[in-house]
Amino acid sequence: MNPVPVLALTCGEPAGVGPELVLQVASRELPAHVVAIGSRALLAQRAEALSIPLRLRDWRPGMLPEAGVLDTLDIPLAAPVAAGRVDPTNAAHVLAMLDAAIDGCMRGDFAAIVTAPVHKGVINEAGIPFTGHTEYLAERTRTGRVVMMLAGGGLRVALATTHLPLKDVSAALTASSLIETLRILHADLKTKFGIAAPRILVAGLNPHAGEGGHMGREEIEVITPVLEQLRSEGMELIGPLPADTMFTPHQLARGDAVLAMYHDQGLPTLKYASFGGGVNITLGLPIIRTSVDHGTALDLAGTGRADPGSLMAALDCALAMVRAQQTNQA
């Protein structure tokens, strides 16, 4: 039996920085068995070009890790890759990496999935509708609702809505969606982060949390009734709080995580505190998945200058979540 958790690490967009970030983190001593899922030929090519001294080995379930060896699950490319130049021909290759990681996790071969960044635009250019990792993972695992949370800089920030135009946020904030989001966040903070009694700070939608209805009624008509209902079920929920003061040290000391109502309400503060070391986490899945907080960085691909800090943080976070879950299940 493998003495350490086995983590699937997908290489992301082959023309981006993903493959070399995978090589950089795999060349370090890690408290987990990392299996790189991607093109073995491309990894070998990038390793040689960047003088990264790693031996690649074809992985099979049950293998034990070896120092200086990167185990790989080979997903061949459809077309040759030039660093920095995306090619829609390889879109299916990118999704095949994700499929292999998801299937392996569902079988129990992997304890978690860590993903390098993909290029959503080039996948859609190939004629494959693709919104992002989060939505794809939810669909493939048949999960009705998932929650996006970013962690870093001492913060955990989850989102009630994700990639929506600002004009559509209010209509998307229904009582049922907010209840489901808070239940997922609360449950995963307990089971995947080991927090026995999570405290969640909840933002209002409007300036000054609506100021008693003078700046909007979403707090009165939707958010507050939801919080009252869930408090009666035993959740510790603080809010709705004005977003402009929610991230002060005094307020943050009262909670284990923040729920922001929309993308740019919560993430600018987190990314200011953690950029380059933040982690994107998908909550609500039957599996553990973490990712980097940056994109494919095509301009850095093949240069060796890409910073692996966020990917290292994503691996560390996945491993901590695996251990918390194992403790919770014991």
Side-chain angles (χ1 to χ4, degrees):
M1 181 178 293
N2 202 324
V4 295
V6 184
L7 306 183
L9 176 54
T10 60
C11 293
E13 166 54 47
V17 294
E20 60 208 74
L21 293 179
V22 168
L23 291 166
Q24 287 185 63
V25 299
S27 66
R28 304 180 181 191
E29 189 173 342
L30 299 168
H33 185 177
V34 173
V35 177
I37 301 180
S39 167
R40 192 173 187 277
L42 178 61
L43 286 168
Q45 176 189 330
R46 291 277 179 96
E48 182 178 4
L50 299 173
S51 300
I52 297 175
L54 270 180
R55 181 164 65 89
L56 304 181
R57 180 177 67 168
D58 290 326
W59 173 82
R60 298 185 308 278
M63 284 180 121
L64 297 179
E66 283 187 25
V69 173
L70 173 60
D71 283 327
T72 62
L73 180 55
D74 186 33
I75 308 294
L77 291 162
V81 169
R85 298 181 185 177
V86 295
D87 184 346
T89 306
N90 281 318
H93 160 82
V94 173
L95 298 185
M97 286 189 281
L98 289 176
D99 290 341
I102 294 165
D103 292 342
C105 218
M106 297 295 283
R107 283 194 306 268
D109 295 339
F110 306 124
I113 299 171
V114 181
T115 57
V118 298
H119 194 293
K120 292 190 282 288
V122 76
I123 296 173
N124 282 282
E125 284 176 26
I128 305 171
F130 184 80
T131 307
H133 271 120
T134 302
E135 294 80 5
Y136 191 80
L137 285 157
E139 182 181 348
R140 282 283 279 104
T141 58
R142 298 182 181 179
T143 305
R145 175 179 288 275
V146 294
V147 174
M148 178 179 174
M149 183 172 82
L150 273 76
L155 306 175
R156 298 186 188 99
V157 179
L159 301 178
T161 62
T162 53
H163 300 111
L164 287 178
L166 196 55
K167 66 182 178 60
D168 296 334
V169 170
S170 178
L173 281 175
T174 64
S176 60
S177 71
L178 194 54
I179 286 170
E180 199 170 0
T181 295
L182 278 163
R183 283 181 174 154
I184 290 169
L185 175 58
H186 187 266
D188 275 14
L189 286 171
K190 291 179 70 174
T191 61
K192 294 178 181 174
F193 288 86
I195 302 171
R199 302 165 303 157
I200 302 171
L201 306 178
V202 181
L205 173 66
N206 298 294
H208 302 178
E211 204 164 277
H214 296 290
M215 292 190 183
R217 296 191 58 81
E218 287 86 354
E219 289 78 11
I220 293 171
E221 295 174 0
V222 179
I223 301 174
T224 296
V226 164
L227 300 189
E228 289 174 350
Q229 176 183 332
L230 295 179
R231 286 184 190 119
S232 72
E233 298 176 8
M235 290 190 199
E236 187 170 349
L237 306 171
I238 302 163
L241 299 172
D244 62 344
T245 56
M246 185 172 59
F247 289 100
T248 59
H250 167 72
Q251 291 286 20
L252 291 173
R254 302 169 67 197
D256 300 296
V258 168
L259 179 67
M261 292 297 110
Y262 57 94
H263 187 280
D264 284 11
Q265 184 186 57
L267 297 192
T269 300
L270 182 134
K271 291 195 174 186
Y272 174 78
S274 69
F275 196 76
V279 181
N280 188 339
I281 305 160
T282 307
L283 304 179
L285 294 170
I287 59 180
I288 291 171
R289 179 261 174 165
T290 67
S291 186
V292 296
D293 70 347
H294 59 75
T296 53
L298 296 173
D299 57 324
L300 293 177
T303 67
R305 300 199 310 270
D307 184 353
S310 182
L311 188 56
M312 282 296 301
L315 284 164
D316 289 341
C317 181
L319 185 57
M321 291 172 71
V322 169
R323 287 174 171 161
Q325 190 172 62
Q326 289 172 340
T327 300
N328 187 68
Q329 293 170 347

